[in-house]
Amino acid sequence: MESPAKEEAGGELAMEIESTVTAEDWRRALALVVPSVVVLRTTAPRAFDTEVAGASYATGFVVDKSRGIILTNRHVVKPGPVVAEAMFVNREEIPVYPLYRDPVHDFGFFRYDPGAIKFLKYDEILLAPEAASVGLEIRVVGNDSGEKVSILAGTLARLDREAPYYKKDGYNDFNTFYMQAASGTKGGSSGSPVVDCQGRAVALNAGSKSSSASAFFLPLERVVRALNLIRDSWEAFGSKPESDYIPRGTLQVTFQHKGFEETRRLGLRNETEQMVRLVSPSGETGMLVVDSVVPEGPAHKHLEPGDVLVRMNDEVVTQFLAMETLLDDSVGKEIDLQIERGGTPLTVKLEVEDLHSITPNHFLEVSGAVIHPLSYQQARNFRFKCGLVYVAEAGYMLSRASVPRHAIIKKLAGEDIENLGDLIACISKLSRGARVPLEYVKYTDRYRNKSVLVTIDRHEWYAPPQLYTRNDATGLWTAKSAIPPESPFIASAHHAGPIDANSNSVSSLPESSPMDLKCQHESENLTDGCIKTQTDDEINVDGSHSSEDSLVEKKRRRVDEEIAAEGTISSSGDLDEIKGGGLRHLSSVDGSDLARTISSNASLAEQVIEPALVMFEATSRKSIITNPCTAVNIGSADCPRYRAINMEVIELDTDFGSAFSGILTDEQGRVQALWASFSTQLKYGCSSSEDHQFVRGIPIYAISQVLEKIISGTPGPFRIINGVRRPIPFIRLLEVELYPTLLSKARSYGLSDSWVQALAKKDPVRRQVLRVKGCLAGSKAENLLEQGDMILAINKEPITCFLDIENACQKLDQSVDSDGVLNMTIFRQGKEIDLIVGTDVRDGNGTTRMVNWCGCIIQDPHSAVRALGFLPEEGHGVYVARWCHGSPVHRYGLYALQWIVEVNGKPTPDLETFIQVVKGLENGEFVRVRTVHLNGKPRVLTLKQDLHYWPTWELRFEPETSTWKRGIIKALQSTVA
C-alpha cells in the first residue's frame, strides 16, 4: 500500500493534468475518435478451444484505414471459426474477416475492404502505448451494454495490475501487466479504444469486474509490434499476403510479478536483489517468478513453481515486456536462463518453441462433436501437455455416451489416441453402428480414466466426418472429408429390404408371437417379456424437451418428439442387447434377435416401447386401484409439446414415485395397463416454470385398438415392424380437446334434468358430461364447436367419456357409406343444438420431414401447436421448432415458437413450398423473412444466409426402411462431402 505522501502526490498530479485539459479538448478528440469506432456483431458457428458456439456484440476501432484493419480483443476475433460484421456510426455495415489473433494476449485484428465504406468520413486511431501513465484521464468509447456508442470516463489508476482471471476452463491472459481504471465498462465494450485527450489509443479495453466499477485494459506495446509486422508483410508483397506470420516464442511457462518482499521469502539472495535494483529502471518493485509449467513443454523438469527469474541471455529481466521481446526474437533458438531456486543459483538452457505451433488451426467434426488438439491455453488451465485430443463440443455421439465437453480422449476401440491423426485413423476403420470402448479423462478427475461405450454414428443424420482447417487468406475455415471414401464409415450401412407379411422368412413374427392382447401366462413369467428402455434425442422436433428417457412404457409422447431416436433394448431375463430402429408407436427391433433373446410367449410390453438400452432387475408390487377412470388434465407448456389429452388413466393407492414404471396386471397375469409417466409443467409466478413428471396407468384398450388394426392389415402407410412389412392404420379423430364436468355442475349451467338423468343412467360411475376446451387449429371441428359446449350425444347415443367418442369415430370407418361426420347434440348457452361435425384422419406418423435452414429446425406445425387453437391467416406457414447457437438465425434473432409465412415476399404455406423458395437463395445473400409468433404478433426481419458453415439440409422419414435419411438441399461445393 502506498504511503499517504505518495497518495497526495498522485492526487496533485491528476489535478494538474485535469486542469490543463478542457471540455473542448475532449469534444474535438472524441469527434475524431467516434467515427473510427465500430460495433462488431460476431458469430462463432462452432465451439472451439476456450469458446462455445454463439453470437455476441463487441467493439473495435480502425487502426489502419488504407489497409482496412480493425483492432479488437482476441476473444472477439475468436481462436476458431467466426463470422462477423462491423457497423460504423452512420450504420453502414460491412463484413469483416479475421486477420490475426494472438495466441496468448487478448488482442486480434479484423480486416475489411476500405472501399466498402461509401458515406462516412473517418480516420484511423493512432496507437500510443507510451502515453499511458498513472493519473491520466481517459475515455472508453464503445458499444457498452449494447448501446452502440457509449463514452465512459475514467482515470488510469494502475499500470501493473496482474492479468485478470476469468474462468478455470476458459480463456485467460497471462505473462503481461494490465492497466486498471474505474470506468465501469460492461458487456459489449470489449475491444473499445481507451483514448486520451488527443484522441490517441493508450490501451485496449478487455474486461471488467462485475462486483465493482473496475475495468481492465491491455497495454499496446505488443499490439503495435504485431501491427507493424503486418504492415511490413503487406508492403513486401505489395498487397495482403496469404498469411501474416507474427513470430511468437514460448517456454510454456506462466510467470507472475512478485514484489521484493515475496521474492526474499522465496529465497532470493540479498546480493541478487541489490544487483537487480541497481540495473533495473528506477522504481522497480519486484521480479518475475515461475507460477506454473505445462507438462512436457520446453521448461518441463527444468523450471519449477517458485523459481525467481534473474537473467535471460545474460540480460536482467524483471518485466514481462522484456521477457516476451527476447522470446519472440528467439523462436527455434536456445536461450540461457539464470534463476534462483530457494536461494540456490541455477542456469538452464531451453529451446524457445513457436507459440503458433501449439495453437490449433484445425478441428474434426463428427456426429456434431468438435474435436481438436489441446491448445496451449487449455493445456495451461488443465495441466495436460499440448496436442492431446480435446473435446470442444461433445455433440450427439459423445454426449450419448456421457463424454463431456473438455474431455481428453485417451483410447478408442482399444487403440491409443495420442493425437488427432490417431483418432481419425481409428474412426476410419470403424463402420457405422459399431459399439466400441472409449477411454477419456477429465481435468477435474485427472488421475482416473473413465471408460464408456460409444456407438459410432449409425445413421445419416450428420454429414461424414469433416476436417476443418483455418485459411488465413480468406478468413474462413475450409472443410474436407476427414476419412477416405473406401473407409467402412463412409460405406453405406446395409439395410435389409422389406419383407412381405406372408413370407416364411425367419424375420417374420412366429405364429406364437405375443399378438393376443390377453396374455395367459402366470405373473411370475411376466418379467421375461419386460424391457427397460433408454432413448436419447438425436434431433429434437415437435417440442421435445428432455435429453433422454429410461421408462418402460416409452409411450407416444416421447416417440413423437424424438423423430430420430436410436438405441438398444435389454430384456430382464437375458444379457443380450438388440438394436432398435425408427418406428414411432410400436417398437421396431430385429425379429430374429428378439426371438433369440426373449421367449415367444413374452408379454405385450415389448410391443409398445421405443427401443433403447439398459439392463435392469424387474420388481413387482401389489396395489389397489382407487380410481379406474381419472381424466388427465395437463396444461399447455411454454414451448408447445406433446401432452396427453382426452385420456382416462388409472390411479393406485400407493405412490411408487415417478421412476417406477412398467405394466399393471391382474392376478392371472393378464396385462391391464401400462404404468407410465406423464410430463407437465408447473408454473411459479409469471415467469418461472419447472418440468414435473407423474405416473399413472394407461388402460390397455388404448393400445389394443391400434395394435389390432396393424395385425389385421388395415389399409394404411407401410412400415417395417420386426422385419415384416406391415400397414400402419389410419386413425379417425375428433380433433377437439375435451374435459369432464360433473352432472351436478352441469345442472347449474342449465342442463335439463332429462339429460342429467339420461347421462347418469348411461354411466352411473362417472356421472359426468364432456365439455369442449378447444378445437385444434385447422381441424374440421374448428369452426363448429365452441369452448364450453357440452357434448350430450352422438347419433342420439348419450356420450359420457372419451372412449364413447373414439368408438363413434371407429364406427364411421366400419360403415361403407360413411361420409366421416358425426351427428352431435350439444348444449350451448342454455340451448340444445344439433350439429354435423366433421372428423379428421391421421396416420399416426407425426412429423416425417424437417429442414435445417440457417441453423433452425423447420417443420410443418405439429399437433401440440395446433392445439393452441391458432394458425396464421396467411395460408398458415412453416413452424420454427428449434435453433442452433452460433447460427445465422441466432445472430439475427429468428428464434423458435413462430411461423415463417414469407421469404423475400414469397408465401411459404408448407414445407415443400418453403424448400423451393430457399433453394434459390445464394450464399451471403440477405433474406427478408416475415414471421408470426405464437402470440399472433407479426414481424419482419432480415438475415444473412451462410451456406459455408450452415448448409440447408433435410431429414426425411422413409417408411419402406423405417429410417431417416439426410439430404442436402443447398450448400457450397466445398462443404458437400
Side-chain angles (χ1 to χ4, degrees):
M1 182 175 179
E2 294 187 58
S3 65
K6 288 184 178 179
E7 289 179 358
E8 183 179 353
E12 291 175 357
L13 176 61
M15 291 174 60
E16 181 180 349
I17 294 174
E18 186 177 355
S19 64
T20 60
V21 179
T22 65
E24 182 61 23
D25 293 332
W26 278 114
R27 190 194 67 77
R28 286 195 298 267
L30 293 174
L32 296 175
V33 168
V34 169
S36 302
V37 177
V38 299
V39 176
L40 293 171
R41 181 162 55 187
T42 64
T43 305
R46 303 290 189 275
F48 187 86
D49 195 15
T50 57
E51 307 298 320
V52 297
S56 60
Y57 285 90
T59 306
F61 59 99
V62 178
V63 292
D64 193 315
K65 179 181 177 181
S66 62
R67 297 177 178 85
I69 300 177
I70 293 173
L71 172 63
T72 186
N73 290 130
R74 175 193 187 272
H75 69 263
V76 177
V77 178
K78 313 288 185 191
V82 63
V83 178
E85 296 167 350
M87 183 175 69
F88 284 78
V89 69
N90 67 337
R91 295 187 177 272
E92 283 190 78
E93 295 184 17
I94 56 171
V96 295
Y97 304 94
L99 177 63
Y100 173 78
R101 78 282 294 150
D102 193 81
V104 171
H105 300 316
D106 200 6
F107 75 91
F109 298 104
F110 281 114
R111 62 176 176 83
Y112 68 96
D113 178 9
I117 304 300
K118 305 293 185 182
F119 308 104
L120 178 69
K121 292 183 178 181
Y122 68 100
D123 207 344
E124 61 192 48
I125 296 178
L126 179 67
L127 303 182
E130 70 283 354
S133 61
V134 173
L136 177 68
E137 187 177 357
I138 50 93
R139 298 289 187 270
V140 181
V141 183
N143 176 34
D144 190 72
S145 300
E147 295 297 334
K148 301 299 182 285
V149 177
S150 293
I151 301 174
L152 303 175
T155 303
L156 291 183
R158 291 183 61 184
L159 305 182
D160 59 353
R161 188 198 188 280
E162 64 182 27
Y165 180 78
Y166 298 119
K167 56 191 302 187
K168 64 181 180 181
D169 55 9
Y171 171 73
N172 296 292
D173 205 344
F174 57 96
N175 287 351
T176 183
F177 285 127
Y178 267 65
M179 304 177 192
Q180 179 178 322
S183 60
T185 57
K186 301 297 180 185
S189 62
S190 293
S192 299
V194 180
V195 299
D196 63 6
C197 61
Q198 299 180 45
R200 302 175 299 177
V202 299
L204 177 67
N205 184 52
S208 62
K209 184 179 290 186
S210 58
S211 59
S212 67
S214 296
F216 312 130
F217 309 141
L218 178 72
L220 295 179
E221 285 84 0
R222 307 310 287 169
V223 178
V224 171
R225 171 183 177 268
L227 180 60
N228 288 336
L229 287 173
I230 291 174
R231 286 168 170 167
D232 292 344
S233 66
W234 284 26
E235 290 178 1
F237 284 88
S239 62
K240 182 188 179 303
E242 287 297 312
S243 63
D244 296 293
Y245 179 71
I246 312 298
R248 296 285 277 116
T250 182
L251 300 175
Q252 296 191 31
V253 178
T254 301
F255 290 89
Q256 287 189 341
H257 191 269
K258 301 288 186 180
F260 283 117
E261 292 288 341
E262 178 65 17
T263 57
R264 284 190 218 109
R265 290 192 286 267
L266 291 172
L268 184 69
R269 298 178 302 165
N270 288 333
E271 57 268 31
T272 304
E273 178 183 339
Q274 293 173 8
M275 181 273 297
V276 170
R277 287 183 180 271
L278 181 65
V279 301
S280 297
S282 177
E284 181 56 76
T285 60
M287 300 176 68
L288 298 178
V289 178
V290 175
D291 179 66
S292 65
V293 180
V294 174
E296 299 190 32
H300 183 54
K301 297 183 179 180
H302 297 286
L303 298 181
E304 297 178 0
D307 289 349
V308 181
L309 178 63
V310 180
R311 289 186 175 90
M312 295 180 70
N313 284 351
D314 295 326
E315 181 180 336
V316 175
V317 175
T318 61
Q319 296 287 312
F320 291 116
L321 183 60
M323 178 190 70
E324 288 216 326
T325 300
L326 283 170
L327 292 176
D328 291 346
D329 293 341
S330 305
V331 176
K333 303 176 183 177
E334 288 187 339
I335 61 170
D336 294 322
L337 273 71
Q338 296 179 26
I339 61 172
E340 286 198 9
R341 180 179 299 165
T344 303
L346 296 172
T347 299
V348 295
K349 186 181 293 290
L350 302 176
E351 183 176 347
V352 179
E353 189 173 18
D354 185 355
L355 190 50
H356 296 294
S357 69
I358 54 175
T359 302
N361 64 351
H362 59 280
F363 67 87
L364 173 70
E365 185 173 43
V366 52
S367 294
V370 174
I371 306 170
H372 61 75
L374 185 68
S375 69
Y376 180 31
Q377 280 284 339
Q378 295 292 49
R380 173 180 171 271
N381 288 335
F382 302 159
R383 292 205 69 252
F384 288 125
K385 71 173 183 177
C386 295
L388 295 177
V389 180
Y390 168 74
V391 178
E393 180 64 50
Y396 172 71
M397 185 178 75
L398 295 182
S399 61
R400 183 169 179 249
S402 300
V403 179
R405 184 170 180 256
H406 302 315
I408 304 295
I409 297 176
K410 307 294 287 185
K411 283 187 176 183
L412 180 65
E415 296 187 16
D416 291 332
I417 305 298
E418 294 290 339
N419 52 56
L420 191 62
D422 291 344
L423 179 67
I424 294 174
C426 184
I427 292 177
S428 300
K429 302 173 187 176
L430 302 174
S431 59
R432 290 183 182 270
R435 298 185 70 209
V436 295
L438 179 145
E439 284 189 19
Y440 71 92
V441 64
K442 298 191 301 182
Y443 74 95
T444 55
D445 193 11
R446 60 189 307 110
Y447 300 109
R448 291 186 296 182
N449 286 4
K450 292 180 170 54
S451 182
V452 296
L453 280 176
V454 171
T455 302
I456 303 301
D457 181 17
R458 60 188 290 249
H459 298 289
E460 298 179 13
W461 298 320
Y462 289 98
Q466 302 282 305
L467 186 65
Y468 283 81
T469 304
R470 191 179 72 216
N471 186 332
D472 290 323
T474 63
L476 299 174
W477 291 60
T478 56
K480 67 177 183 179
S481 179
I483 54 182
E486 63 273 12
S487 164
F489 193 101
I490 297 295
S492 300
H494 174 71
H495 296 289
I499 302 173
D500 188 81
N502 297 320
S503 170
N504 292 323
S505 168
V506 294
S507 295
S508 300
L509 289 175
E511 294 181 2
S512 59
S513 59
M515 289 301 183
D516 185 0
L517 300 179
K518 298 178 181 179
C519 301
Q520 300 296 329
H521 52 288
E522 297 299 324
S523 59
E524 60 265 21
N525 295 325
L526 281 172
T527 57
D528 291 340
C530 290
I531 298 168
K532 186 173 183 179
T533 70
Q534 179 175 318
T535 302
D536 303 297
D537 290 348
E538 173 84 5
I539 296 178
N540 298 339
V541 294
D542 288 7
S544 173
H545 64 286
S546 62
S547 60
E548 66 175 40
D549 243 8
S550 56
L551 303 172
V552 169
E553 79 287 348
K554 190 57 64 180
K555 56 187 184 304
R556 186 177 191 272
R557 170 179 64 82
R558 293 297 301 165
V559 184
D560 261 355
E561 291 170 355
E562 298 156 12
I563 67 165
E566 65 163 335
T568 59
I569 65 174
S570 301
S571 77
S572 64
D574 207 301
L575 296 180
D576 289 344
E577 295 175 347
I578 307 113
K579 295 178 181 178
L583 181 63
R584 265 200 178 63
H585 296 253
L586 303 176
S587 68
S588 173
V589 300
D590 186 88
S592 58
D593 283 349
L594 188 65
R596 286 193 297 268
T597 306
I598 305 175
S599 59
S600 61
N601 66 342
S603 75
L604 177 65
E606 79 238 11
Q607 300 296 327
V608 293
I609 61 173
E610 172 72 6
L613 170 76
V614 186
M615 283 298 301
F616 74 107
E617 182 178 351
T619 60
S620 63
R621 301 180 188 178
K622 289 186 177 181
S623 187
I624 298 173
I625 294 176
T626 58
N627 192 333
C629 53
T630 300
V632 174
N633 182 20
I634 300 176
S636 298
D638 295 334
C639 175
R641 65 193 191 202
Y642 173 80
R643 57 191 176 92
I645 62 173
N646 300 347
M647 177 183 287
E648 291 183 340
V649 294
I650 298 172
E651 291 184 341
L652 303 180
D653 65 344
T654 306
D655 182 7
F656 298 120
S658 61
F660 189 87
S661 59
I663 55 176
L664 301 182
T665 70
D666 60 15
E667 301 234 345
Q668 287 75 42
R670 293 175 296 190
V671 177
Q672 301 296 311
L674 296 181
W675 190 243
S677 71
F678 294 81
S679 177
T680 185
Q681 196 172 73
L682 301 179
K683 297 188 178 182
Y684 306 98
C686 298
S687 57
S688 61
S689 60
E690 181 179 283
D691 285 336
H692 171 69
Q693 290 198 354
F694 61 93
V695 186
R696 297 291 186 271
I698 302 178
I700 204 66
Y701 67 75
I703 300 157
S704 63
Q705 293 174 349
V706 177
L707 188 57
E708 286 173 350
K709 289 185 176 183
I710 295 175
I711 298 168
S712 63
T714 302
F718 284 94
R719 287 285 185 86
I720 306 303
I721 303 176
N722 296 347
V724 181
R725 190 170 184 264
R726 292 187 180 275
I728 298 298
F730 290 107
I731 305 296
R732 187 172 295 278
L733 301 170
L734 178 66
E735 291 198 323
V736 178
E737 184 174 355
L738 305 169
Y739 66 98
T741 296
L742 294 175
L743 292 176
S744 58
K745 290 186 177 180
R747 181 183 279 113
S748 301
Y749 282 104
L751 186 63
S752 65
D753 289 340
S754 60
W755 271 111
V756 170
Q757 293 172 9
L759 295 173
K761 181 180 179 181
K762 165 71 166 48
D763 194 339
V765 175
R766 294 180 175 86
R767 301 183 65 84
Q768 65 186 23
V769 63
L770 297 181
R771 303 189 70 184
V772 175
K773 189 173 184 179
C775 298
L776 272 67
S779 67
K780 293 181 180 178
E782 181 180 14
N783 297 319
L784 297 173
L785 295 177
E786 298 179 2
Q787 184 176 350
D789 287 351
M790 296 183 189
I791 298 180
L792 304 179
I794 295 178
N795 297 331
K796 305 303 180 181
E797 292 289 333
I799 298 296
T800 60
C801 64
F802 305 124
L803 184 59
D804 290 343
I805 294 181
E806 293 177 13
N807 291 336
C809 291
Q810 285 196 24
K811 289 180 180 179
L812 293 177
D813 288 334
Q814 296 168 1
S815 175
V816 178
D817 56 351
S818 170
D819 53 2
V821 298
L822 298 173
N823 297 313
M824 280 191 177
T825 303
I826 66 169
F827 181 76
R828 178 186 298 168
Q829 297 179 357
K831 298 179 181 179
E832 293 180 19
I833 303 174
D834 291 328
L835 290 176
I836 298 178
V837 179
T839 57
D840 294 273
V841 176
R842 302 290 178 228
D843 61 9
N845 283 337
T847 297
T848 58
R849 192 182 189 188
M850 47 82 44
V851 173
N852 187 305
W853 177 67
C854 290
C856 67
I857 302 296
I858 297 175
Q859 62 176 104
D860 286 320
H862 54 92
S863 60
V865 175
R866 296 193 301 113
L868 299 177
F870 168 75
L871 288 175
E873 296 178 358
E874 297 87 343
H876 303 333
V878 291
Y879 181 69
V880 181
R882 284 287 187 273
W883 56 271
C884 301
H885 287 274
S887 64
V889 298
H890 183 194
R891 189 195 325 177
Y892 294 100
L894 178 58
Y895 300 128
L897 309 184
Q898 52 189 323
W899 288 272
I900 297 177
V901 296
E902 286 183 5
V903 174
N904 284 346
K906 298 178 180 178
T908 55
D910 52 54
L911 202 57
E912 182 59 37
T913 305
F914 176 83
I915 291 174
Q916 295 305 316
V917 171
V918 299
K919 270 185 177 179
L921 304 177
E922 299 300 328
N923 180 53
E925 179 180 349
F926 270 96
V927 182
R928 186 175 72 258
V929 181
R930 187 167 185 268
T931 67
V932 177
H933 196 269
L934 282 180
N935 59 18
K937 181 179 179 181
R939 181 188 177 203
V940 175
L941 59 86
T942 60
L943 62 83
K944 187 178 183 181
Q945 184 166 248
D946 178 7
L947 295 176
H948 183 84
Y949 296 114
W950 299 96
T952 304
W953 52 270
E954 69 170 337
L955 279 181
R956 187 194 291 265
F957 186 78
E958 294 186 353
E960 290 298 319
T961 58
S962 288
T963 57
W964 290 82
K965 293 294 185 181
R966 173 189 171 108
I968 296 295
I969 295 174
K970 182 102 176 188
L972 295 181
Q973 191 63 34
S974 60
T975 61
V976 178

